Amino acid sequence: HAAGSSSLSCSIYLKKKKPLTAFILVLYTLLVCISRMALGVHYPTDVIVGVLQGVTISLLICHTESRIRTAYLYLLLLLISSIGIFYCQSDDYFTTLGLLLGVCAGDLIERKYIRFAPAESLFATLARVAVGSLLFLLLNYLLKLPFPQEILKADDLLAHCLRTFRYGICAFALFGIYPILFRYPFFYRNIFSRKENKDAN
């Protein structure tokens, strides 16, 4: 959590270098780190190393993304991340690995075939996030149904593989398929434009 929050914050700051943005991102990362220690799941040293790891990875990717083809960068990330399969037994690791697989595959599909465009208003952005979050949760729930709880909760290779597969599919759907809907004006833009016109009037 410390590595993820610090990596996300650092990446956003490198794109939006504003004082208010920096303050919010530092506060967000700090709260995440404090929560890890307050809940007793990590020592302060764990959190510090996580933050350093997250910031380092974020800086490395932002520095190299314009110099290396995206597909090669993703392949490198996946190869490095997959090393944990041989020694890591944490559910969080296999969840994150699945998310990484799904995001990388989905982003490559989106870049080539969809070319996602940002929403034109805050309302549209929040609606996209809300619908996407609901779709992610629903798909994650549906993918659990074919398997007994005993298999899903077991601490073995099959359970870990199913978790990686499940989160990979969810992330791929969110990043590689869901943005297709934004290309159809009748699905989003017309609805939001009517809302914005009413607000303007």
Side-chain angles (χ1 to χ4, degrees):
H1 289 85
S5 61
S6 59
S7 178
L8 176 64
S9 296
C10 184
S11 298
I12 293 174
Y13 176 73
L14 292 172
K15 300 292 183 182
K16 304 283 185 182
K17 295 182 179 179
K18 296 180 179 179
L20 179 59
T21 302
F23 173 77
I24 293 172
L25 294 172
V26 168
L27 181 62
Y28 158 71
T29 304
L30 186 61
L31 289 173
V32 171
C33 293
I34 291 173
S35 74
R36 299 296 90 199
M37 294 181 287
L39 292 172
V41 294
H42 285 295
Y43 294 110
T45 50
D46 299 335
V47 172
I48 292 171
V49 171
V51 169
L52 291 175
Q53 181 185 36
V55 171
T56 301
I57 291 172
S58 180
L59 290 172
L60 180 64
I61 291 175
C62 288
H63 179 71
T64 58
E65 66 177 348
S66 60
R67 297 171 173 81
I68 302 175
R69 287 184 60 181
T70 304
Y72 296 148
L73 182 60
Y74 285 167
L75 180 60
L76 178 62
L77 285 173
L78 290 169
L79 288 174
I80 294 172
S81 301
S82 297
I83 296 173
I85 293 174
F86 299 102
Y87 65 89
C88 188
Q89 296 298 316
S90 167
D91 284 343
D92 288 340
Y93 167 76
F94 290 95
T95 298
T96 306
L97 182 62
L99 291 172
L100 180 61
L101 284 165
V103 169
C104 289
D107 184 61
L108 291 175
I109 294 294
E110 188 281 322
R111 285 171 182 259
K112 186 171 183 178
Y113 298 107
I114 303 171
R115 298 185 181 179
F116 169 80
E120 298 174 357
S121 68
L122 178 60
F123 175 76
T125 300
L126 293 176
R128 289 180 175 186
V129 172
V131 174
S133 300
L134 289 174
L135 288 174
F136 185 93
L137 293 173
L138 178 62
L139 186 57
N140 191 23
Y141 171 76
L142 292 175
L143 289 172
K144 290 181 181 179
L145 294 181
F147 306 98
Q149 286 296 314
E150 295 78 18
I151 293 178
L152 295 175
K153 292 182 178 180
D155 188 20
D156 56 18
L157 181 61
L158 177 60
H160 293 325
C161 289
L162 288 174
R163 174 175 287 270
T164 299
F165 174 78
R166 189 170 76 247
Y167 278 94
I169 292 295
C170 292
F172 177 78
L174 200 62
F175 283 83
I177 299 175
Y178 178 51
I180 293 175
L181 300 178
F182 307 148
R183 298 188 65 177
Y184 296 95
F186 67 85
F187 192 84
Y188 272 96
R189 294 177 188 168
N190 288 346
I191 297 173
F192 296 147
S193 62
R194 282 198 292 270
K195 170 71 176 177
E196 290 163 6
N197 289 337
K198 288 180 182 177
D199 292 342
N201 292 335

